[in-house]
Amino acid sequence: MKLRLLYFLVFAPICLFSQVTFVKDTIQTQGDSVVVTATRSERKLSNVTVPVTIINAQSIQQIGALRLTDILKEQPGLSMTSGFGAGVQLQGLNPDYTIILINGEPLVGRTAGVLDLNRIALGNIKKIEIVKGPSSSLYGSEAMAGVINIITDATTKTPLQSSLRYGTYNTIDAGLNNTLASKFIFYQGYYNYYSTDGYSIRPSSASRVTTPIKRIATNQQFKYNLTNNTNLLVGLRFTNEQIKNELSVTNGGLTINSNGEEKNTDYNIASSLNHRFSNSLKTSFRSYITQYNATQNLLTISGAPYTDILDHVFNRLENQTDWVVNKKLTAIVGGGAVMEGVKSSRYDSEKIRKTNTNQYAFSQWEWIPNSKLILIGGIRFDQNQTYASAWSPKASMLYKINKKNRIRLSVGQGFKAPDFRQLYLNFTNAAAGSYSVFGTAQAQKVIGQLNSLGQIGTLYNNFYQLKSLQPEYATGTHVTWEFEPNAKNNFSFQLFRNDIRNLIEVQQVGAYITGAQIYSYLNIGRAFTTGFEFEAKHQLTKQFSISAAYQYLETGDKDQLAQIKNGTVYTRDANGLSRKLNVSEYVGLPNNSKHKAQLKFNYSNQNGLFGNIRALYRSKWAVNNTNGNEVFDDGDSFAEGYIALHLSIGKDYMNGLGFQFGCDNMLNYIDALNLPNLPGRTFFATLKIQKSK
Amino acid sequence: MRQILKPFLLLLTLSNILFSCTKDETTVALSVTAITVNNLPADTVLGINTTTGMPFSAGKYTFFSLERNAIVPNTDSASTQWDLAFASNKILTNGGTSGKGLGGAFVYVGLFDDLKSIPSDSVFKTDNAPASFAVTFGSGKGWYVYDQLTSLITPLAGRVLVIRTASGKFAKVEIINYYKGGVTLPITASDSDKLSKQRYYTFRYAYQPNGSKTF
């Protein structure tokens, strides 16, 4: 491993290159940000038809965010989940349904559908773009709730930048950023080291909620201008995590310890060859290779060693051509092919890689009939080896009513392809009742074989309904009204609704003769998420600003709602006697808070002094169906609502020196059961040195 | 048309009156009252085995007669004196592999009060240890759910255990709670409380002594 890392560190800067934006395309804007994710081409934020949030490097730095999780948890409309690493929930949709891109290329390596966002260091990020609403018309599978695109900084003017941070629980973060540029060649290298001792917030437990972690990350970007109109970009990213697992289970005074190590490595190489034929026509060929490997080794004192491997490769070739037809009409046409494969201990053999190929084509047309209106229509077709093909249309518009008011409207369909686990899982949990889960690609065959061996006790009706899985689909509608009465104030109000169908759910399809359950996956669920978001920003003085945001969210499983209306779902009254559940008691999907709000005060002056205080509120959310009636209602367990209060102050000096001090979770809010990723009050101090310009 | 219908209508009305009369009368005659049983111990936890770390108990069932609303001594376990036997989350009926009686049961999904008569197409199961039991055993399958995270057992709402007693009579049972005092412990309760206070049944039942399937 170390050798491989060394190889990357030494050779990568020499032979590899990066960044996926056009050199000449940089739109000159004054105070108006540029967005690439919304249309796969650079657009001014004020001309984008879909709802987009931009988080810039300055706000990442000023709150002292280290990992992607740190910044996303403070965005309106997003919340973090804590099973299988830190995932992000967008407008009530689970982490599975948001695609995470780095410079436009997807990150892979999801466990149970969750991509751990702690894997991503923020040191050399230029900005993060968040597009809300189905975006499969451009990005294909997973872009069902939205897109989060992390754009690395390839245009930094600072040649050398370094930072060192120390915080509670012996948390160390060190970063180094280096840039070299000549007329034809541009190089940027970023290195990050992070380690923490982890913490335990359960008083009676010796095991730590967050275990000791060491992370190394590097990002190398290289750009070579072949001619004035052609360039070659190569980006290389590598991360390595080592997580120490120490589990200790105490039962009646007897403690069973098991310990081990988890190693996760992740690299990606993105290269693109870009050529501009004329001012109205350009094309880009991209190749992307990525691999994620997670190996977990556990050793218990009494018991066999346990190894769990997940290895995911994803290779893609793609072309995108942008054509400016005339002043009013712009088109994007593209297509590509993906070869993907996964090896896992939880499949029938960890040595055989399960593979899948996918071809796709997309097109998007942007029409600007007059200065007030922009209309965009797009469609993408994905054809697949292992599941049914999918069409993803989307239409959106921006209407500038006047200088102060804008309306954005978008309607689109997104999809998520069945993942490898849903197709190939072959897992029997010996530790918990010996139940089995079989992916649909093999379920009928494997269960059939078990049946002929006389091991199957019962087969349910839905066993016979098992067939190749369909993608999950969502139709999303977003309407946003933006009001900017003057330079000091702006408001936005958004209504959203997502209707999801074909949800893939784990279902019991039979039982062994021992009674142990057998599960597989079926396309059965129908759900919705709907609500509104309100954001306001007020500039009090040149230095001082206040921003506030609120989200109201309602979610629900449509089939469960129908059952409740039919009177076939029960709960208990105050005396413990059964009664029918009322629709008003239904709370919808778990892990969703109805109310989320935030209030931020921000100060920053010309002398480099800055400070901010952020209050984030989340109302109660359902965590566990305690009463067993299969729906989440008032009678179930909830995590209590809470406020997290964070503070950060710092000063950047003209000579390149900078200091920052922060305190996260000042109110020391702890909920060990439901918020394992929220330690109590923590402090940090950062020193930055950058070579003056 | 109308002329043909008339006698029919008359007949219908008549039969309606007749039927409702008999129905009313039988309901009055057969009306059974629900009885609530509190804190019935069911092989309660005695302590924790220091080598295995597992809780242990006496391993004995509590036998109960629905007819007499009383606990039956363990010495009468081989008789038809008892209708239900409780040990931790297992409930046996007096029949099949469990006893000499005519006992059997099935789990009805619905409300206790709404179950006025046992549907004629109902199938009573009998105990066939260890493969299957009349009162289905296991989380989410019969009368309770077990939460692995909190280690708590919660009786499912809207489940009625329809019982055929040792003597072949019928009863309906709703399990209300599994913890001492009839109150499910909070998830934050200590492990020792969760162990020592479990296996105390609170349930209500209606027993029909006349052998009919109506309550």
Side-chain angles (χ1 to χ4, degrees):
Chain A
M1 193 68 269
K2 276 196 173 154
L3 267 178
R4 208 156 111 195
L5 178 64
L6 197 68
Y7 170 84
F8 279 132
L9 294 185
V10 174
F11 293 103
I14 304 164
C15 59
L16 297 168
F17 323 53
S18 162
Q19 197 43 10
V20 201
T21 45
F22 283 94
V23 214
K24 286 193 152 188
D25 273 359
T26 312
I27 295 171
Q28 295 302 316
T29 54
Q30 285 168 329
D32 196 359
S33 311
V34 171
V35 180
V36 294
T37 317
T39 54
R40 281 181 86 129
S41 52
E42 294 195 331
R43 289 289 178 274
K44 284 184 192 175
L45 181 59
S46 60
N47 282 340
V48 164
T49 54
V50 296
V52 182
T53 308
I54 297 176
I55 308 164
N56 59 28
Q58 195 193 14
S59 49
I60 294 171
Q61 266 170 28
Q62 290 194 348
I63 71 157
L66 289 180
R67 323 297 302 183
L68 186 54
T69 331
D70 300 337
I71 187 80
L72 292 187
K73 72 182 178 200
E74 299 197 3
Q75 301 310 310
L78 308 190
S79 42
M80 308 312 292
T81 62
S82 60
F84 307 101
V88 64
Q89 222 170 28
L90 205 161
Q91 293 185 329
L93 287 159
N94 279 340
D96 317 36
Y97 305 117
T98 296
I99 192 168
I100 312 287
L101 308 171
I102 289 195
N103 295 325
E105 304 288 353
L107 278 177
V108 301
R110 290 173 183 257
T111 307
V114 179
L115 195 91
D116 187 1
L117 302 177
N118 282 321
R119 265 163 50 192
I120 301 143
L122 294 177
N124 69 329
I125 306 296
K126 183 179 164 196
K127 59 177 175 171
I128 298 165
E129 297 182 355
I130 302 165
V131 175
K132 291 172 183 171
S135 306
S136 294
S137 63
L138 290 173
Y139 297 98
S141 176
E142 289 178 10
M144 207 164 114
V147 183
I148 296 176
N149 192 3
I150 300 138
I151 293 150
T152 55
D153 190 354
T155 55
T156 176
K157 284 166 190 142
T158 40
L160 191 65
Q161 200 172 29
S162 67
S163 70
L164 180 67
R165 163 161 151 168
Y166 184 80
T168 315
Y169 303 120
N170 218 3
T171 304
I172 300 165
D173 184 271
L176 182 70
N177 217 339
N178 191 15
T179 312
L180 300 166
S182 75
K183 197 180 172 192
F184 294 104
I185 293 175
F186 166 86
Y187 161 76
Q188 192 220 26
Y190 169 70
Y191 307 89
N192 177 263
Y193 170 85
Y194 171 92
S195 73
T196 179
D197 280 357
Y199 52 88
S200 169
I201 46 179
R202 287 182 213 208
S204 57
S205 164
S207 67
R208 283 173 257 211
V209 179
T210 293
T211 48
I213 295 174
K214 266 185 201 149
R215 292 191 173 105
I216 297 166
T218 177
N219 198 345
Q220 313 285 331
Q221 301 180 77
F222 201 89
K223 184 164 80 188
Y224 185 55
N225 291 333
L226 297 164
T227 70
N228 278 342
N229 289 322
T230 312
N231 67 22
L232 183 66
L233 311 165
V234 176
L236 177 121
R237 192 180 150 268
F238 174 82
T239 64
N240 170 276
E241 310 185 302
Q242 283 176 296
I243 305 169
K244 273 215 170 77
N245 285 319
E246 298 164 325
L247 300 167
S248 83
V249 181
T250 307
N251 209 339
L254 190 83
T255 306
I256 298 169
N257 289 306
S258 53
N259 52 62
E261 203 181 52
E262 205 177 309
K263 258 189 196 173
N264 304 321
T265 56
D266 173 14
Y267 73 80
N268 35 62
I269 306 165
S271 20
S272 68
L273 181 65
N274 308 298
H275 180 70
R276 176 183 292 277
F277 297 99
S278 70
N279 279 338
S280 58
L281 189 67
K282 64 183 183 186
T283 193
S284 163
F285 284 95
R286 295 172 195 157
S287 100
Y288 179 63
I289 299 166
T290 183
Q291 181 166 17
Y292 173 76
N293 182 292
T295 306
Q296 191 180 23
N297 284 301
L298 264 181
L299 198 67
T300 52
I301 282 172
S302 59
Y306 172 77
T307 308
D308 205 325
I309 297 167
L310 175 74
D311 188 291
H312 192 164
V313 288
F314 179 97
N315 301 326
R316 179 161 87 172
L317 276 172
E318 189 177 73
N319 172 259
Q320 179 181 328
T321 302
D322 294 28
W323 178 35
V324 181
V325 184
N326 57 43
K327 276 193 171 175
K328 291 182 171 177
L329 194 63
T330 312
I332 290 173
V333 179
V338 175
M339 200 290 290
E340 212 180 343
V342 175
K343 281 195 285 193
S344 166
S345 316
R346 298 186 171 201
Y347 301 168
D348 50 359
S349 162
E350 66 183 43
K351 294 192 176 75
I352 300 165
R353 195 180 289 279
K354 305 291 182 190
T355 57
N356 188 19
T357 56
N358 175 25
Q359 297 88 36
Y360 59 91
F362 60 89
S363 183
Q364 179 186 266
W365 294 79
E366 181 176 355
W367 183 42
I368 309 174
N370 57 52
S371 62
K372 287 191 164 188
L373 193 63
I374 299 176
L375 294 162
I376 294 184
I379 194 158
R380 172 163 158 150
F381 177 68
D382 281 75
Q383 184 183 306
N384 204 281
Q385 188 191 334
T386 45
Y387 58 86
S389 50
W391 285 100
S392 310
K394 183 163 184 173
S396 55
M397 63 162 253
L398 167 68
Y399 180 57
K400 298 172 186 171
I401 302 168
N402 51 41
K403 280 201 166 172
K404 291 176 179 172
N405 290 281
R406 277 195 292 266
I407 301 273
R408 300 176 212 263
L409 168 68
S410 70
V411 183
Q413 175 168 286
F415 78 98
K416 184 190 161 284
D419 57 34
F420 281 86
R421 139 191 80 120
Q422 290 158 343
L423 296 170
Y424 298 111
L425 198 66
N426 184 335
F427 177 66
T428 298
N429 192 341
S434 289
Y435 69 85
S436 294
V437 191
F438 298 114
T440 52
Q442 291 165 319
Q444 282 191 318
K445 193 178 135 204
V446 175
I447 298 168
Q449 281 166 354
L450 290 168
N451 204 8
S452 63
L453 294 168
Q455 290 186 26
I456 302 295
T458 39
L459 287 176
Y460 293 177
N461 277 339
N462 57 10
F463 169 76
Y464 303 99
Q465 289 160 14
L466 284 175
K467 56 180 180 193
S468 58
L469 286 172
Q470 305 278 318
E472 299 175 288
Y473 289 103
T475 307
T477 307
H478 289 71
V479 188
T480 314
W481 170 46
E482 285 172 10
F483 176 50
E484 228 180 301
N486 51 47
K488 285 184 173 175
N489 294 290
N490 63 64
F491 305 93
S492 92
F493 182 79
Q494 180 184 106
L495 289 168
F496 63 89
R497 178 165 176 110
N498 294 295
D499 285 281
I500 308 125
R501 62 185 192 279
N502 251 9
L503 271 176
I504 297 172
E505 289 181 6
V506 175
Q507 288 286 300
Q508 188 176 355
V509 295
Y512 289 105
I513 41 173
T514 57
Q517 304 96 318
I518 300 171
Y519 298 95
S520 190
Y521 300 89
L522 285 125
N523 282 106
I524 45 166
R526 295 182 303 144
F528 70 90
T529 77
T530 187
F532 62 86
E533 285 175 16
F534 175 74
E535 287 177 52
K537 198 176 172 189
H538 176 63
Q539 194 77 36
L540 271 171
T541 65
K542 268 195 168 171
Q543 294 87 17
F544 201 64
S545 67
I546 305 176
S547 66
Y550 170 77
Q551 184 197 48
Y552 175 81
L553 176 68
E554 264 187 35
T555 61
D557 178 310
K558 292 182 186 178
D559 297 306
Q560 288 181 347
L561 264 170
Q563 283 170 13
I564 297 168
K565 283 175 188 158
N566 280 342
T568 54
V569 181
Y570 306 94
T571 186
R572 288 182 186 277
D573 64 17
N575 300 319
L577 305 177
S578 298
R579 64 168 173 84
K580 284 174 184 166
L581 186 76
N582 298 318
V583 174
S584 63
E585 294 167 286
Y586 181 60
V587 298
L589 305 175
N591 301 318
N592 280 300
S593 298
K594 228 171 203 170
H595 311 280
K596 284 188 71 196
Q598 47 180 258
L599 189 62
K600 297 175 182 173
F601 296 91
N602 203 52
Y603 177 86
S604 125
N605 73 13
Q606 286 177 319
N607 303 324
L609 184 69
F610 63 88
N612 52 67
I613 183 157
R614 295 107 58 205
L616 308 164
Y617 168 75
R618 181 178 175 185
S619 70
K620 68 169 189 175
W621 65 98
V623 289
N624 205 359
N625 182 15
T626 5
N627 63 12
N629 61 2
E630 289 173 4
V631 309
F632 288 89
D633 59 78
D634 289 343
D636 288 317
S637 330
F638 289 85
E640 275 177 54
Y642 73 100
I643 295 175
L645 194 64
H646 310 302
L647 168 93
S648 162
I649 47 172
K651 170 130 174 117
D652 291 323
Y653 292 91
M654 290 300 277
N655 62 7
L657 213 60
F659 297 100
Q660 190 175 5
F661 168 81
C663 175
D664 287 330
N665 195 3
M666 290 169 76
L667 303 174
N668 200 25
Y669 185 80
I670 293 174
D671 181 347
L673 206 60
N674 303 306
L675 291 167
N677 289 338
L678 184 73
R681 191 182 300 122
T682 57
F683 299 92
F684 69 84
T686 309
L687 170 69
K688 276 181 284 187
I689 302 167
Q690 91 182 24
K691 209 174 141 185
S692 43
K693 294 167 191 179
Chain B
M1 189 71 183
R2 233 178 236 170
Q3 280 185 337
I4 308 169
L5 265 178
K6 249 185 188 170
F8 267 107
L9 277 174
L10 190 68
L11 203 68
L12 256 171
T13 332
L14 260 173
S15 65
N16 248 345
I17 294 162
L18 278 170
F19 248 89
S20 37
C21 273
T22 39
K23 210 175 170 187
D24 280 345
E25 275 163 26
T26 46
T27 319
V28 170
L30 295 174
S31 143
V32 284
T33 45
I35 298 166
T36 302
V37 177
N38 292 302
N39 289 319
L40 184 85
D43 197 29
T44 51
V45 175
L46 299 175
I48 289 164
N49 183 318
T50 46
T51 39
T52 61
M54 300 297 280
F56 67 90
S57 57
K60 290 212 159 100
Y61 280 90
T62 300
F63 296 93
F64 190 83
S65 165
L66 294 171
E67 188 182 342
R68 290 182 286 120
N69 181 19
I71 292 174
V72 176
N74 281 50
T75 46
D76 286 335
S77 65
S79 74
T80 56
Q81 295 289 303
W82 60 276
D83 301 310
L84 294 175
F86 299 84
S88 69
N89 48 3
K90 267 190 184 171
I91 302 173
L92 305 183
T93 48
N94 195 342
T97 51
S98 298
K100 289 178 169 177
L102 300 168
F106 69 93
V107 180
Y108 169 85
V109 178
L111 295 179
F112 186 83
D113 292 331
D114 290 352
L115 182 69
K116 297 255 186 334
S117 68
I118 301 168
S120 53
D121 57 351
S122 302
V123 179
F124 281 83
K125 294 195 292 174
T126 50
D127 288 357
N128 181 22
S132 68
F133 293 90
V135 177
T136 323
F137 172 67
S139 177
K141 294 174 180 172
W143 63 270
Y144 70 91
V145 279
Y146 172 67
D147 186 336
Q148 289 187 327
L149 202 69
T150 61
S151 310
L152 290 174
I153 282 191
T154 309
L156 286 163
R159 297 291 186 281
V160 183
L161 312 182
V162 183
I163 309 291
R164 192 170 61 211
T165 66
S167 57
K169 307 267 174 51
F170 297 97
K172 57 177 180 178
V173 177
E174 181 185 10
I175 311 289
I176 296 168
N177 201 280
Y178 187 65
Y179 292 88
K180 201 170 189 172
V183 180
T184 303
L185 297 175
I187 52 171
T188 49
S190 69
D191 286 352
S192 64
D193 262 9
K194 283 178 182 174
L195 284 175
S196 64
K197 292 191 173 163
Q198 64 169 299
R199 307 191 186 182
Y200 288 93
Y201 280 81
T202 296
F203 63 92
R204 63 167 166 167
Y205 74 95
Y207 172 74
Q208 177 51 271
N210 73 1
S212 80
K213 288 185 171 181
T214 50
F215 298 106

